[in-house]
């Protein structure tokens, strides 16, 4: 059974409650005079469903009501959504109360406390409707973001307020608002069942595989660039090292590996030939020996840290792969212990397998082996971290000693004019050596035997297979079939209403979100058709056609359709005479009867899965019409009782 409405309730500031109850799986009519609150019922449902703005008209309702509430029915379960009235001139309230398993609305609003956010409410309603994971990916040339259909989009097909139902340019609820036309176009294929869950999962796998392929191709492009010639950064640093005397200028660099090897020699400690300063007590040579010793020790520490980092990375990669294997093999938990025999039969459904599978014992042995390897990797991780911390502490200490030695050397030579040249060279070499060391630490060595080409080819093969599985043409065919079915029913309903151009084939135009009549003179859109009767009639016929397919395919769309003032083209409010249509012309009387007959027969045909709720002025005398009346608001009766206080 679908999601329908049991009742709409309002609460006064004094704690009073007013309910409007509806029959499930049937036509429900709220008839009455103008300004009694009939149109507010649709706005209350829209607001409680999660709309960001409260569209209930300013006036008595805004001033007298404290909370709005809607009690939905889903397979016999009562689902209550209550939302605080923002009050006069208020735009919205974030105080939303959500509860499941509710039989009747609470007596008063004292228990209403915010317990869900707007996003949480949307997720809850999407789950209740049965909306599964889905995504619509626009064309590559489009600037729109991918869209995931949710309850926020499903409600757009279930509401038609007074201004929308007679609009020649907009067919759907909120179609005239920014971003909503694109959202309707992008979500309707999912709601029609043209794109199923398997299609979505395949698209997700295709996207993930394509992203991995692009990354590998970028990595391989860098590999090729480094293999064919040295990078600009490498050559620039090598030139600096040559100018500062760290690298012999006569040594060539024909390729990237040679250039990197020369740069590594530039990070080795360099001896300095200090000039004779005539001071036998000078200890510059000893200080320089200490400096080079510290530099050598730092180099050893960096190399060991690099080795530990590489080992940790390899261990992490192994752990990731092992976890995937462990997860796959863990499925043997589905097989009871002792069921090792009969591996030619499926352990789940007991059917004979064409290709025998490994025995459960073999699978458990593989799982145990992987778990032992994972335990070994995890056991060594703390040791690596402890060694890394120790090396980092030693590097900090040696760096401090190096800075002390360099300060001592600078102190010795700063007053000796003849050592200025050596000092400048010392500073320049230290600067260049530091830059080279930093560059080498952050440059990933590329092996000639890279596995990237094979991985790229494997991913390309996967992409081709996924592309065939997606079969975009098939998805388009399913959408065309769904639209044809809607168009068939749309044409039948238009004929039953006697609409102009209804004798032509009719269809929904998803590009422009309108109804098209295919006439002998060419396609004719709803905007090109005249008469309010046609505009209302085609809105009703289009929505009935959509909901018939929604219900037939059990799609996750609310099983109710709310229409506000559908008879307005024939029975405007200023001609209201206690709902009687006797004063209308024969043509108008006939048109009103056809409209309500169609709505009644539609609800009966899809009973119990479809509920139609109509707010209108008209009141027919037929027995079936009177049976469908949920409430009659005349002679002082309205949505808000006259006794309620108005703030």
């Amino acid at each position: 059974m679908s999601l329908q409405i049991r009742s709409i309730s309002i609460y006064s500031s004094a704690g009073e409650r007013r309910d409007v109850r509806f029959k499930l799986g049937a036509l429900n009519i709220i008839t009455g005079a103008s300004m009694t609150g009939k149109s507010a019922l649709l706005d209350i449902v829209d607001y409680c469903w999660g709309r960001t703005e409260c569209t209930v008209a300013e006036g008595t309702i805004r001033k007298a009501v404290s909370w709005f509430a809607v009690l939905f029915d889903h397979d016999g379960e009562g689902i209550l959504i209550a939302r605080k009235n923002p009050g006069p001139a208020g735009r919205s309230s974030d105080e939303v109360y959500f509860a499941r398993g509710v039989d009747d609305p609470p007596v008063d609003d004292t228990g209403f406390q915010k317990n869900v956010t707007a996003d949480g409410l949307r997720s809850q309603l999407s789950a209740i409707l049965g909306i599964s994971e889905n995504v619509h990916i626009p064309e590559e040339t489009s600037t729109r973001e991918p869209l995931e259909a949710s309850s926020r989009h499903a409600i757009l097909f279930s509401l038609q307020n007074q201004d929308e139902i007679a609009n020649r340019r907009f067919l759907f609820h909120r179609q005239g608002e920014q971003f909503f036309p694109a959202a309707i176009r992008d979500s309707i294929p999912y709601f029609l069942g043209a794109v199923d869950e398997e299609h979505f999962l395949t698209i997700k796998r295709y996207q993930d595989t394509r992203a991995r392929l692009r990354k590998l191709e970028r990595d391989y492009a860098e590999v090729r660039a480094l293999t064919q010639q040295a990078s600009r950064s490498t050559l620039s640093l090598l030139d600096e090292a040559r100018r500062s005397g760290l690298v012999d200028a006569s040594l060539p660099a024909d390729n990237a590996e040679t250039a990197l090897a020369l740069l590594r020699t530039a990070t080795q400690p360099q001896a300095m030939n200090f000039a004779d300063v005539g001071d036998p007590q000078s200890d510059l040579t000893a200080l320089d020996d200490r400096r080079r010793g510290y530099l050598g020790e730092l180099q050893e520490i960096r190399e060991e840290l690099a080795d530990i980092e590489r080992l940790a990375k390899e261990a992490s990669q192994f752990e990731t792969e092992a976890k995937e294997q462990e997860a796959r093999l863990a499925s043997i938990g589905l097989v009871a212990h002792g069921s090792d025999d009969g591996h030619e039969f499926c352990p789940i459904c007991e059917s004979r397998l064409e290709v025998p599978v490994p025995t459960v014992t073999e699978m458990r042995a593989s799982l145990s082996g992987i778990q032992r390897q994972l335990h070994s990797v995890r056991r060594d991780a703390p040791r690596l971290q402890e060694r890394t911390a120790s090396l980092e502490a030693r590097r900090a200490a040696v760096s401090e000693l190096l800075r002390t030695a360099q300060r001592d050397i600078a102190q010795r030579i700063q007053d000796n004019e003849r050592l200025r040249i050596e000092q400048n060279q010392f500073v320049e070499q230290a600067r260049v050596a530091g830059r080279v060391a930093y560059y080498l630490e952050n440059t990933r060595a590329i092996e000639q035997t890279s596995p990237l080409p094979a991985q790229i080819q494997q991913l390309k093969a996967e992409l081709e297979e996924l592309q065939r599985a997606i079969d975009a043409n098939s998805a388009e065919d399913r959408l065309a079939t769904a639209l044809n079915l809607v168009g068939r029913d749309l044409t039948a309903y238009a004929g039953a209403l006697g609409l102009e151009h209804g004798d032509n084939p009719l269809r929904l135009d998803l590009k422009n979100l309108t109804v098209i009549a295919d006439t002998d003179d060419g396609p004719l859109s709803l905007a090109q058709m005249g008469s309010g009767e046609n505009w209302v009639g085609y809105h009703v016929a289009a929505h009935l056609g959509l909901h018939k397919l929604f219900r037939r395919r059990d799609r996750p769309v609310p099983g109710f359709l709310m229409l506000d003032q559908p008879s307005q083209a024939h029975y405007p409010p200023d001609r209201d005479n206690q709902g009687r249509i006797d004063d209308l012309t024969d043509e108008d009387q006939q048109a009103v009867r056809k409209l309500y007959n169609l709505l009644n027969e539609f609800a009966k045909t899809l009973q119990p899965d479809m509920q139609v709720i109509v707010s209108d002025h008209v009141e027919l005398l037929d027995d079936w019409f009177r049976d469908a009346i949920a409430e009659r608001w005349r002679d002082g009766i309205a949505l808000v009782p006259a006794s309620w206080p108005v703030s």
Side-chain angles (χ1 to χ4, degrees):
M1 189 172 178
S2 56
L3 183 70
Q4 299 180 26
I5 300 176
R6 287 188 193 175
S7 65
I8 298 174
S9 302
I10 57 175
Y11 292 82
S12 73
S13 56
E16 298 171 287
R17 188 188 82 197
R18 162 83 158 97
D19 298 330
V20 181
R21 299 185 179 273
F22 303 99
K23 291 179 289 186
L24 303 178
L27 172 64
N28 294 264
I29 302 172
I30 304 295
T31 181
S34 297
M35 303 179 65
T36 53
K38 298 186 303 298
S39 297
L41 295 176
L42 185 148
D43 293 325
I44 291 172
V45 172
D46 201 7
Y47 182 58
C48 288
W49 192 268
R51 184 167 180 167
T52 56
E53 179 183 6
C54 180
T55 56
V56 176
E58 295 290 340
T60 303
I61 300 176
R62 285 287 195 111
K63 295 178 180 179
V65 175
S66 60
W67 282 78
F68 302 113
V70 180
L71 181 60
F72 295 97
D73 184 277
H74 184 253
D75 293 338
E77 179 190 12
I79 300 169
L80 180 69
I81 303 176
R83 193 167 181 185
K84 189 175 181 62
N85 177 16
R91 185 175 183 274
S92 182
S93 171
D94 65 350
E95 295 188 50
V96 181
Y97 176 80
F98 176 86
R100 303 190 64 164
V102 178
D103 293 329
D104 283 303
V107 176
D108 53 45
D109 60 4
T110 56
F112 290 158
Q113 299 292 333
K114 178 180 179 179
N115 65 355
V116 68
T117 63
D119 290 340
L121 178 63
R122 181 168 61 248
S123 299
Q124 290 277 4
L125 289 173
S126 296
I128 291 169
L129 288 173
I131 297 178
S132 58
E133 284 189 292
N134 66 89
V135 66
H136 173 83
I137 302 174
E139 303 81 2
E140 293 185 1
T141 56
S142 175
T143 58
R144 303 198 311 276
E145 294 291 331
L147 178 137
E148 180 178 0
S150 68
S151 60
R152 175 173 177 249
H153 307 101
I155 195 65
L156 301 177
F157 305 104
S158 292
L159 303 177
Q160 284 279 286
N161 64 37
Q162 182 177 358
D163 296 332
E164 293 167 338
I165 199 169
N167 195 307
R168 64 192 299 181
R169 301 193 181 279
F170 301 131
L171 184 62
F172 295 104
H173 183 53
R174 304 184 69 181
Q175 184 180 332
E177 300 179 30
Q178 189 178 19
F179 305 123
F180 276 84
I184 295 171
R185 276 192 295 267
D186 292 347
S187 62
I188 199 170
Y190 170 77
F191 289 120
L192 287 174
V195 179
D196 56 17
E197 288 74 17
E198 184 64 29
H199 183 79
F200 160 73
L201 294 176
T202 305
I203 288 179
K204 288 290 293 180
R205 289 177 55 198
Y206 180 85
Q207 291 177 318
D208 294 342
T209 304
R210 185 174 59 180
R212 289 164 51 202
L213 175 61
R214 288 176 176 174
K215 182 181 183 301
L216 288 182
E217 288 176 337
R218 287 194 300 269
D219 292 344
Y220 186 53
E222 294 178 4
V223 170
R224 295 183 60 187
L226 289 173
T227 302
Q228 294 172 359
Q229 61 180 15
S231 67
R232 292 183 179 180
S233 298
T234 303
L235 293 177
S236 176
L237 282 175
L238 185 59
D239 288 340
E240 288 191 50
R242 283 171 172 164
R243 287 195 300 270
S244 63
L246 292 174
V247 174
D248 190 344
S250 63
L251 296 176
D254 300 330
N255 52 52
E257 290 188 359
T258 303
L260 289 173
L262 291 175
L263 282 181
R264 292 189 185 97
T265 64
T267 62
Q268 301 299 321
Q270 302 293 322
M272 295 178 62
N273 297 320
F274 292 103
D276 184 8
V277 296
D279 182 6
Q281 302 299 323
S282 175
D283 58 351
L284 282 176
T285 302
L287 288 173
D288 183 59
D289 289 341
R290 285 168 51 196
R291 178 186 69 85
R292 287 188 289 111
Y294 294 148
L295 289 172
E297 187 173 354
L298 284 175
Q299 180 66 22
E300 293 175 359
I301 292 174
R302 281 195 294 267
E303 291 176 353
E304 186 172 355
L305 283 172
D307 291 340
I308 292 175
E309 182 179 357
R310 183 174 61 256
L311 180 60
K313 183 177 180 181
E314 292 173 354
S316 176
Q317 293 174 346
F318 170 77
E319 186 177 3
T320 300
E321 287 293 329
K323 283 181 177 179
E324 290 186 11
Q325 295 298 327
E326 183 186 25
R328 293 169 184 166
L329 290 174
S331 62
I332 64 174
L334 296 173
V335 183
H337 292 287
S339 59
D340 193 22
D341 55 345
H343 57 275
E344 296 182 352
F345 295 87
C346 175
I348 306 300
C349 66
E350 300 183 353
S351 61
R352 179 176 294 276
L353 301 174
E354 295 182 3
V355 179
V357 298
T359 66
V360 174
T361 302
E362 293 171 346
M363 296 171 71
R364 289 201 181 97
S366 298
L367 178 59
S368 299
I370 289 174
Q371 290 173 338
R372 285 195 300 273
Q373 292 172 347
L374 275 173
H375 176 72
S376 176
V377 170
R378 294 166 179 159
R379 181 190 60 201
D380 292 339
R383 300 175 184 174
L384 293 178
Q385 294 173 355
E386 181 180 357
R387 181 57 180 166
T388 299
S390 174
L391 289 174
E392 290 290 352
R394 180 57 185 162
R395 178 159 66 175
V398 174
S399 297
E400 181 60 32
L401 292 174
L402 176 61
R403 286 191 291 272
T404 302
Q406 290 172 336
R407 285 195 298 269
D408 291 343
I409 292 174
Q411 184 66 35
R412 298 293 187 279
I413 65 177
Q414 66 180 353
D415 296 329
N416 194 326
E417 191 65 29
R418 289 184 296 172
L419 294 180
R420 296 295 182 189
I421 297 176
E422 284 85 349
Q423 181 185 30
N424 292 338
Q425 183 182 12
F426 169 75
V427 172
E428 179 64 14
Q429 286 184 346
R431 184 186 68 82
V432 174
R435 289 189 60 198
V436 171
Y438 178 81
Y439 175 76
L440 291 177
E441 286 181 1
N442 291 275
T443 300
R444 180 165 56 93
I446 305 298
E447 299 291 340
Q448 290 288 349
T449 58
S450 172
L452 291 178
Q455 295 175 0
I456 289 173
Q457 291 302 319
Q458 180 180 355
L459 287 180
K460 285 183 176 179
E462 290 181 18
L463 275 182
E464 292 178 359
E465 182 178 352
L466 289 171
Q467 184 62 55
R468 289 192 295 269
I470 290 174
D471 193 6
N473 290 332
S474 177
E476 292 177 2
D477 290 343
R478 290 195 296 271
L479 178 59
T481 297
L483 290 176
N484 286 338
L485 293 174
V486 173
R488 179 194 64 189
D489 293 327
L490 167 60
T491 303
Y493 295 142
L497 292 174
L499 301 179
E500 186 180 5
H501 310 293
D503 54 345
N504 295 289
L506 301 169
R507 57 186 169 88
L508 277 182
D509 178 6
L510 287 191
K511 180 180 179 181
N512 298 300
L513 297 180
T514 188
V515 172
I516 298 292
D518 290 318
T519 70
D520 292 337
D521 298 325
L524 191 66
S525 70
L526 181 61
Q528 296 172 295
M529 301 178 190
S531 169
E533 177 184 358
N534 288 323
W535 304 334
V536 173
Y538 280 117
H539 275 75
V540 172
H543 281 78
L544 296 186
L546 283 169
H547 276 275
K548 184 175 181 180
L549 186 61
F550 291 154
R551 300 280 64 84
R552 192 162 61 239
R553 292 188 170 184
D554 195 23
R555 299 305 298 162
V557 177
F560 61 84
L561 176 62
M562 297 188 72
L563 306 174
D564 187 21
Q565 315 291 338
S567 70
Q568 59 184 278
H570 308 282
Y571 194 77
D574 57 2
R575 297 175 60 184
D576 181 23
N577 181 20
Q578 296 294 311
R580 297 171 56 188
I581 64 173
D582 300 344
D583 297 336
L584 302 181
T585 64
D586 292 341
E587 292 80 3
D588 286 336
Q589 290 188 41
Q590 185 179 12
V592 171
R593 291 187 183 279
K594 285 182 178 179
L595 173 63
Y596 276 96
N597 267 311
L598 177 61
L599 295 176
N600 186 49
E601 290 301 319
F602 177 78
K604 289 170 60 177
T605 300
L606 297 181
Q607 194 177 34
D609 296 326
M610 190 66 204
Q611 179 186 49
V612 180
I613 300 175
V614 183
S615 301
D616 211 338
H617 298 283
V618 71
E619 184 176 346
L620 304 183
L621 299 179
D622 305 71
D623 291 338
W624 60 265
F625 189 95
R626 291 184 175 276
D627 290 341
I629 294 178
E631 292 205 13
R632 186 177 188 273
W633 294 350
R634 296 185 184 277
D635 303 323
I637 301 176
L639 175 61
V640 177
S643 59
W644 279 19
V646 176
S647 59

